[in-house]
Amino acid sequence: DGGITQSPKYLFRKEGQNVTLSCEQNLNHDAMYWYRQDPGQGLRLIYYSQIVNDFQKGDIAEGYSVSREKKESFPLTVTSAQKNPTAFYLCASSSGASGNSYEQYFGPGTRLTVT
Amino acid sequence: AQSVTQLGSHVSVSEGALVLLRCNYSSSVPPYLFWYVQYPNQGLQLLLKYTTGATLVKGINGFEAEFKKSETSFHLTKPSAHMSDAAEYFCAVTNMEYGNKLVFGAGTILRVKS
């Protein structure tokens, strides 16, 4: 059963702690993405990766970091430098440059609450 | 630069009534357009997409959208609303120059009244 998994579904952290959100896909997609969703603001791109061992900043990368060591995995670290980290985080993937299709497939999301 | 405007952050319809969710886009080259649906605390699910070819696109759950280049619009419609259609809907755009990055609208929350 192909798809994207994100874990955990809910995550609680104290202010000042770094936290890593997991994203795994078994769709054999080249490209992966991280979005942040806040009420009334749609989805904002944090980081994206079009190929293993390479990634680019999106529109709101400050306070976040990523790695792409394996094709199927794209973890996101929310660092203590992120001023307002409480949000719903969505991971997505697409066939990328190897395909002609531009649609992205989304995971179920992780809701992060920092207090 | 690309952008998407969804008119109306909230839309309310009666069960059985027409659903119309509006989306206007800005793109310097021919766009690829998408509609996604999101149920509470879940990820986004692709409803339909326009890339090339026929401008009237049919999607899942009885939804369809029409690409109108002259109006730079890609409105989403469904002839008869069902209670299960209550969700948030996002329009998104990309193009060949922008690669695989999607630009999303702010979303429209659809409420269906019984």
Side-chain angles (χ1 to χ4, degrees):
Chain A
D1 193 17
I4 302 175
T5 56
Q6 291 186 243
S7 60
K9 180 70 174 174
Y10 298 94
L11 191 53
F12 298 88
R13 280 293 183 269
K14 294 289 188 185
E15 196 172 321
Q17 293 179 337
N18 291 355
V19 59
T20 297
L21 282 59
S22 169
C23 177
E24 304 277 331
Q25 56 100 359
N26 61 5
L27 300 168
N28 199 33
H29 283 167
D30 286 320
M32 297 186 74
Y33 312 80
W34 274 106
Y35 294 92
R36 172 184 171 132
Q37 186 177 21
D38 297 282
Q41 296 193 46
L43 279 70
R44 293 183 289 169
L45 183 64
I46 305 172
Y47 268 97
Y48 64 104
S49 168
Q50 305 220 39
I51 197 167
V52 175
N53 292 322
D54 188 41
F55 49 82
Q56 288 79 39
K57 293 181 179 180
D59 301 317
I60 56 165
E62 185 176 350
Y64 300 98
S65 66
V66 293
S67 62
R68 186 86 187 277
E69 297 176 1
K70 298 186 295 182
K71 186 175 185 177
E72 59 270 22
S73 179
F74 191 41
L76 173 75
T77 297
V78 184
T79 75
S80 57
Q82 168 50 231
K83 290 181 171 38
N84 185 19
T86 294
F88 190 52
Y89 290 87
L90 287 160
C91 179
S93 71
S94 73
S95 54
S98 64
N100 294 321
S101 176
Y102 291 90
E103 68 256 36
Q104 295 179 12
Y105 297 85
F106 285 80
T110 292
R111 186 165 297 280
L112 173 65
T113 303
V114 177
T115 58
Chain B
Q2 300 180 116
S3 66
V4 174
T5 301
Q6 291 184 238
L7 294 174
S9 59
H10 291 79
V11 170
S12 184
V13 300
S14 297
E15 193 172 18
L18 171 72
V19 175
L20 170 60
L21 304 182
R22 300 178 186 274
C23 173
N24 288 90
Y25 69 91
S26 171
S27 178
S28 56
V29 298
Y32 300 128
L33 296 156
F34 306 85
W35 275 101
Y36 285 87
V37 61
Q38 184 182 34
Y39 298 98
N41 289 312
Q42 294 187 26
L44 275 66
Q45 179 184 8
L46 181 68
L47 274 177
L48 49 79
K49 65 179 180 182
Y50 169 79
T51 53
T52 59
T55 56
L56 182 62
V57 180
K58 296 187 184 299
I60 62 171
N61 302 338
F63 284 94
E64 62 182 37
E66 186 171 11
F67 169 59
K68 292 188 176 181
K69 183 179 178 180
S70 61
E71 299 177 9
T72 60
S73 70
F74 191 56
H75 302 330
L76 182 70
T77 60
K78 182 173 180 178
S80 177
H82 191 273
M83 296 297 288
S84 61
D85 295 326
E88 188 162 18
Y89 292 81
F90 292 94
C91 182
V93 65
T94 190
N95 59 45
M96 290 284 285
E97 292 181 350
Y98 214 55
N100 290 291
K101 292 190 295 180
L102 294 180
V103 173
F104 287 86
T108 298
I109 295 173
L110 175 66
R111 178 185 170 219
V112 181
K113 299 176 291 185
S114 59

